[in-house]
Structures are given as C-alpha cells and as structure tokens.
Amino acid sequence: MSRTLLNLVVVSLTMICLNGPLIHAKSTWVRASTDEVIVISDAPQKAVTEYVVKYSAFRQAFINLLTPTGRRPPPMVLLLFANQAELKSHLADSKDNLIAFSTEIDRTALTALANSGDPEGDLATAFEFDTICSLQRVGYFLPLWMTQGTGEVMSTLRIKNGQCIIDANRSQSDSVWRDLRVLPWKHFFEFYQSAPEYKGPKAEGMYQAQAWATMTAILFKEKTPREQFARLAGKFPTEEGIQAVSEMLGVPEDKFTETVQRQLIHNTVVAIPYDEKTILADIKIRPAEQCEVMAYRGEVLIASGRIAEGNQLIDEARILSPNAVESNEARARRSLREKDQSAAARYYRLAIEAGSANVNALLTSAAEYLDVTADFPNPVMDGPKDTVTALAQIHRAMELDPGNARARRLMGRAYFIAEKPSEEGLAELSEALTDDATGLQLRYYRGLLYNRIGRKTDALADFDQIVRNPTTPGFLLTQVKGSRMPLLFEADQKTLDQMLADQKFDQARALMDQRIIETEKTPAEGAYRKMRAWVDETELWTQAVSLYNAKDMTGALNAARKFTLDFPNSIRIKEAKRMVAGVELILKKRSDREKTP
C-alpha cells in the first residue's frame, strides 16, 4: 500500500462516553478492509496494514483447508486498540489479563485486541474463535469437540516466506495434553458449551487440549489434512463421536489415547501459499466513522459483561448518527438481546435502507414479516405484501450467503404461508432440498405446500421420507407427524376400503396393527383401533354372506350368529339378525320336509 493512500486516513475522533472507558480525544481511527476482514483501529497505520494482511492470509488458508465447496464466511471484525491499556479499559476486571477478547455479532466474529508488536501472537485467539464461528457459516454442523479442536489447530498459523504455516504442535494446548490429564472419552464426546469443564470455574483447559490433540491426530494422520477434515465432517450427524473417531484413527475407544499420543510425534505441519500482493491491492482504507467505532466498542463492553456501559455507548452512537448502518445494526442487536423482535426488525430495516448488506439484518426483518403474515387476515395489515417483501429480503440474503440455512428455512415458510401457493415456489423449494437438517425442514414446507394445492400423495411422500429419516430432529418429527396424520389417515381409509373389497383381510390387519403401534398414545390410535375392528367385522360378515350365497346354510347361520355376538353395535347388526332369522326358517322348513313321509 502506498504511503500517500495511508496518509489519507487520518481523522480525529472524540468519544462521548462519560462514565465508560476513555479513548484519547486526539485518537486517529481508520477502517481498513478486504473481503475477509474489517479492521477498526487507532493503532499506527503500518500495524493496521500488517494485521489486515495476516488476517486475510489466515482466511485464505481457512478456505483452502476447510471449505471444499469454496463458500466464504462473511468478513470478521477486528477492533484493534493502540495499546493494552485501551483494551483493558473495555473489559471486565476478571478479564483484564487477556490479550484478546472475542465475541459474535450477527453471526460474525468480533475480536478486540491490542497492538503489541506481535500480530501473529495476538491473532492466535482470533484465528481460533473465527474458525469455530465460520465453520457453521459455511454450512458445517459439527460437534463441539471437532470445531474446538480445529480452531485450536488453526490458531497455530504463522506467516512466513509467502506461506501460511500451520504447525499444530505449537498450540498452547500441547503442554496440557502432554501431562496426559485425559477426560474419559465418552464424557469428552458428550460435552456442550455450557459445561463447567468447558468454561467456568472448573475449566482448566483439559477439554480444549483433548480436542486439539484429537483433531491434530486425525488431520495429520495421512498428511492430507484437507481430505481428512472433509471425511470426518461427512460422518455427522449420522454417526456418534466415538464411532467417527474410531473409524478415522482405525482403533477402538480404549486405544484412542495412545494412538493420539503416538500421532503427535509425527509431522504436524502444513504449508499453504497466500498471495500478499493481491491482498495489499484489495485493501480499502478510509477514516472510521465515529458511530461505527462507538458501536463496536459498545459490543465489546456488553460481551465482557459491562452491559450498561455498552448500551450507553450504542445509544450515543445512534444519537450521533441516527441513519448510519452501524448504529442501527448495533441498536437492533440490543433489541434482540432484550427479546424485542419487532424493535430489532425495525432497526435492521433502517440499516438496510442505509445500504447494509448484513445477512442477519435481512433475515431478521424477513422473519418478522412472516410472523406478521402468519396472523393474517388482519384488517390493518397487508399480508400478501409482507410475504412478497420477505421473499425479496430472503433472496437477497441468499445472494450474499449462498446456502445460508436460516434463509432456506425462511424461504420454505414464506412460500407455504403466501396468499396464493405457486408452482414457482414448489420449484425453488425442490431445487434447494439437501440431505442435511435444513433440507429436512425444507422438505416439510414443500409437503405443506403440496397439501395446500391438493397434491396430497406428494405431500404424504415428503412427510413419510422425513419420518423414516433417523437424523430428523425431535421437534421437527413432532411437527411432521401432526401434519402427516390427517393425510395418512385419509390414504389409509382408501387403501383399507380397497383391501376389504379384494378380501385381503390379513394384509388389512397387518396395516392397521402397524398404524396402531405408530400412533400409540395419540388421538389417532383410537381411530385406527376402530378401523382394525372393522376389518375383523367385515371379514366375518363377508364369510357369512359367502356361505349364504353358496347355499351352505349351516355355515352361514353359524357365521351370522357369531357376528351378532361379537359385533352387537355394528351398523350391520339388523341385517345380521335378519339373516339369522331367515336362515333358521330355511333350515326349519328343510327339516320339516325331511320329516314328512
């Protein structure tokens, strides 16, 4: 980058926050960005450029190593303070020994750190956190131990001679693991983020170290980390962690520890080239707007636990620049934290009008339109217009972030609740179907849409496929069963009628027995039990009629009498009694004739 360009970014910034952390009145803040990172900083301009380059190089390595589809996560935000004192003034007392602090805003990583003169060391925490966040953003839904371990591996990235060097054994977790304080493997694979051993007073780094060691052993086992990661990721969610790791390491659970330990002795280095000239040419740099600095500082304060101060800073940013993208997005996020979805949508829409390309803003706005439309008809709302606007925002979000799971789910909902169901909606839903959890939800919406337009067989086929899928989440399974049952019952009635007409009574009984099991302890169970009794009743009545037509009066009488005893409340009971009386009369006359000489 030329010195002339760098000299253009000088701007004085005076902060308004009276009671919170102070920034020097003469601080000069810049905004330097590429497609991978946005750096907001009052550090020297040379340092800012170095951080942008190194972070962009990390993102190139992330995409090369972990995203075979080529999907790119949105740029992360790095709030780079000029010195450690400024960073500490934004953190809670319990965190004042940190060199970096990371949080998430609008599903994007935000890291605050101080310029210490060692960008690679400072950025290790940012690399780890961004890896964990971005894996989900590019379409992976992986267990905690896998994302945590991969983040630990990526945190070792260093830049040298035009290459990103990942040396997993440089991780800080190495020393913890080598003490062999290993958690029981079954317990390890069941960890969740709120577990006290993961974060909190019981957290000693054991879980992180074990995750690092496990992923290092797997990624570098064949010296093909890209292929190994893709292979392991492909095992979820259908496999359990123990099974997946056993297959990747080629050993049973009781051999995991020694196998991982042995693998760590081998080469755990991979070099990925990056293009520094292209990164430098792509850097966009300008004076930072006062409101965006205040907004990001506010988010760091809130994430650190200083909520009142952070909210004050965000409110002041919006007073200063009520129409700015950053101040409205920050205010929207505050509303989400306060569980006020409507207010969040309102502020996000102001940001969108100001030019925001924030995917979360678009989808939060669209979701609010769809919630409003779900209550239609309402005389004060234009439901169809809201649905159309929602779809426009959803499609824009999908352009910005292809494959976004939330966008696809909202698209399914929008097409289902639209005033008029459309073949275009069906076509788009069909094209967006995938084999993951989001694809199952889309299939559910397509089934609902099929039902709306009268294609009940197709609807039932979609619902059946979801019910049979062993990976279907419990909440979705409950919804699908509720929507499926009326269609299934209607279809079963037609099937049963045909089976009975064809006198396939054993098949009819088997079908009804299966449905009784499937609907146990639900309202439908009683209906299927009645249909099951109808099969037995129809079979016995058919037998009686057949024997009567075959002139086997004794057999007909026995069948008809049994019918009146077994099914006294049947709609055929009068007819059965007439048959009994009629056949008895016939047999009596026959007997009388035989007695006459």
Side-chain angles (χ1 to χ4, degrees):
M1 180 181 300
S2 69
R3 183 174 299 276
T4 302
L5 180 57
L6 288 173
N7 288 337
L8 293 176
V9 302
V10 178
V11 60
S12 293
L13 181 62
T14 303
M15 289 301 149
I16 304 173
C17 187
L18 300 177
N19 301 316
L22 296 179
I23 299 293
H24 294 300
K26 297 298 183 182
S27 294
T28 299
W29 287 81
V30 300
R31 182 186 194 275
S33 64
T34 65
D35 290 340
E36 312 300 344
V37 64
I38 299 169
V39 177
I40 309 290
S41 180
D42 64 342
Q45 296 164 13
K46 181 179 179 182
V48 173
T49 303
E50 187 175 4
Y51 277 92
V52 173
V53 170
K54 291 186 180 300
Y55 207 97
S56 297
F58 156 76
R59 274 297 188 84
Q60 287 186 7
F62 174 91
I63 293 167
N64 181 290
L65 196 63
L66 304 178
T67 58
T69 61
R71 285 188 59 189
R72 309 175 79 92
M76 71 85 63
V77 179
L78 183 64
L79 187 60
L80 178 63
F81 291 101
N83 55 63
Q84 191 72 19
E86 286 186 2
L87 173 63
K88 287 184 177 181
S89 75
H90 286 70
L91 303 179
D93 292 341
S94 61
K95 298 181 173 65
D96 62 6
N97 62 334
L98 295 178
I99 62 171
F101 182 76
S102 293
T103 185
E104 190 174 358
I105 58 171
D106 288 327
R107 300 184 69 232
T108 298
L110 166 64
T111 294
L113 53 80
N115 175 35
S116 68
D118 178 20
E120 291 180 342
D122 295 342
L123 286 171
T125 299
F127 292 166
E128 176 186 345
F129 186 79
D130 190 17
T131 298
I132 295 170
C133 289
S134 295
L135 283 172
Q136 184 172 356
R137 288 304 306 272
V138 298
Y140 288 117
F141 295 92
L142 305 173
L144 177 61
W145 60 268
M146 184 174 175
T147 56
Q148 180 69 49
T150 305
E152 294 273 342
V153 171
M154 294 298 291
S155 73
T156 68
L157 183 143
R158 299 292 184 271
I159 307 297
K160 186 176 181 180
N161 299 328
Q163 291 186 316
C164 298
I165 309 295
I166 298 173
D167 182 356
N169 277 334
R170 297 182 76 251
S171 170
Q172 295 179 355
S173 294
D174 179 62
S175 60
V176 179
W177 169 261
R178 294 193 188 283
D179 289 340
L180 288 180
R181 292 185 292 163
V182 181
L183 296 165
W185 285 100
K186 186 176 187 301
H187 181 50
F188 169 77
F189 288 117
E190 293 173 347
F191 254 60
Y192 46 93
Q193 284 188 328
S194 59
E197 297 93 339
Y198 183 73
K199 58 182 178 182
K202 293 186 179 180
E204 298 178 348
M206 295 169 58
Y207 179 80
Q208 287 83 349
Q210 196 159 332
W212 159 80
T214 303
M215 286 308 299
T216 298
I218 291 173
L219 291 176
F220 294 93
K221 180 173 182 288
E222 305 292 342
K223 297 183 180 180
T224 54
R226 180 188 299 104
E227 290 76 10
Q228 289 290 93
F229 181 85
R231 182 183 164 205
L232 178 59
K235 295 181 180 297
F236 301 104
T238 56
E239 293 188 18
E240 297 294 331
I242 288 179
Q243 178 186 357
V245 172
S246 178
E247 292 172 355
M248 295 299 295
L249 295 179
V251 296
E253 178 189 350
D254 61 356
K255 300 292 184 181
F256 282 1
T257 302
E258 62 181 87
T259 303
V260 170
Q261 186 70 11
R262 185 170 58 250
Q263 180 61 37
L264 294 179
I265 301 173
H266 301 300
N267 182 27
T268 59
V269 179
V270 61
I272 302 170
Y274 78 97
D275 188 349
E276 183 171 351
K277 289 183 178 180
T278 299
I279 292 174
L280 285 169
D282 288 344
I283 293 177
K284 300 178 182 64
I285 193 163
R286 63 165 173 79
E289 298 291 341
Q290 186 172 347
C291 67
E292 66 181 324
V293 178
M294 296 170 74
Y296 288 128
R297 288 177 55 215
E299 295 289 356
V300 172
L301 284 164
I302 290 168
S304 176
R306 295 164 63 178
I307 297 173
E309 294 170 271
N311 284 340
Q312 179 184 345
L313 205 53
I314 287 171
D315 287 343
E316 291 168 352
R318 192 163 188 281
I319 292 171
L320 181 67
S321 301
N323 298 318
V325 168
E326 292 80 9
S327 61
N328 279 298
E329 288 181 345
R331 188 60 186 82
R333 289 190 290 268
R334 175 180 173 179
S335 296
L336 287 178
R337 287 189 289 268
E338 294 170 351
K339 311 298 182 185
D340 191 342
Q341 185 81 11
S342 295
R346 184 169 64 254
Y347 287 117
Y348 273 137
R349 287 167 190 165
L350 290 173
I352 293 167
E353 290 173 7
S356 172
N358 182 333
V359 170
N360 199 48
L362 290 162
L363 296 181
T364 301
S365 172
E368 179 67 10
Y369 279 131
L370 296 182
D371 285 343
V372 168
T373 307
D375 295 330
F376 190 80
N378 184 320
V380 298
M381 294 179 184
D382 186 355
K385 179 180 179 182
D386 285 346
T387 308
V388 170
T389 305
L391 276 168
Q393 292 183 338
I394 292 165
H395 287 139
R396 173 60 177 152
M398 294 175 73
E399 290 174 8
L400 294 168
D401 186 11
N404 183 287
R406 186 186 180 196
R408 291 161 61 207
R409 290 193 299 269
L410 287 174
M411 178 185 69
R413 176 172 171 77
Y415 279 125
F416 165 59
I417 67 175
E419 183 183 26
K420 294 181 180 180
S422 67
E423 291 293 337
E424 293 79 5
L426 276 174
E428 188 170 359
L429 286 177
S430 299
E431 187 177 347
L433 288 180
T434 53
D435 294 329
D436 57 11
T438 301
L440 290 172
Q441 289 179 286
L442 278 182
R443 187 175 295 280
Y444 175 50
Y445 279 123
R446 189 178 72 168
L448 293 173
L449 191 51
Y450 273 140
N451 192 32
R452 277 194 68 190
I453 63 177
R455 293 171 59 175
K456 295 185 177 183
T457 301
D458 292 327
L460 189 56
D462 271 346
F463 296 156
D464 285 344
Q465 188 165 337
I466 298 169
V467 169
R468 289 195 300 266
N469 192 315
T471 68
T472 300
F475 77 92
L476 180 59
L477 189 62
T478 299
Q479 290 179 330
V480 172
K481 284 183 175 180
S483 301
R484 171 179 177 257
M485 187 48 60
L487 294 176
L488 183 63
F489 192 77
E490 183 180 338
D492 283 345
Q493 283 181 314
K494 293 180 180 178
T495 301
L496 186 64
D497 288 344
Q498 189 60 53
M499 286 180 172
L500 297 182
D502 296 338
Q503 298 187 21
K504 296 178 178 179
F505 301 111
D506 288 340
Q507 288 179 259
R509 265 188 291 271
L511 176 62
M512 292 303 101
D513 288 342
Q514 178 186 341
R515 294 290 188 256
I516 290 170
I517 294 172
E518 292 175 356
T519 60
E520 186 179 7
K521 296 181 181 179
T522 71
E525 181 186 0
Y528 276 111
R529 288 192 179 279
K530 289 180 180 179
M531 291 170 69
R532 171 67 170 79
W534 178 252
V535 175
D536 293 338
E537 176 184 333
T538 302
E539 181 180 30
L540 185 54
W541 178 247
T542 301
Q543 180 184 359
V545 171
S546 298
L547 291 169
Y548 182 87
N549 292 335
K551 309 298 184 183
D552 182 352
M553 295 303 158
T554 301
L557 180 60
N558 291 334
R561 282 175 174 171
K562 180 174 173 51
F563 188 95
T564 61
L565 294 173
D566 290 353
F567 305 104
N569 299 317
S570 170
I571 60 173
R572 297 169 173 143
I573 191 65
K574 291 182 178 180
E575 190 174 359
K577 288 180 178 180
R578 285 197 297 270
M579 178 181 286
V580 170
V583 172
E584 285 177 340
L585 182 59
I586 292 173
L587 290 176
K588 184 178 183 303
K589 290 181 177 180
R590 182 182 297 174
S591 176
D592 290 343
R593 283 197 301 270
E594 291 174 352
K595 292 178 181 179
T596 301

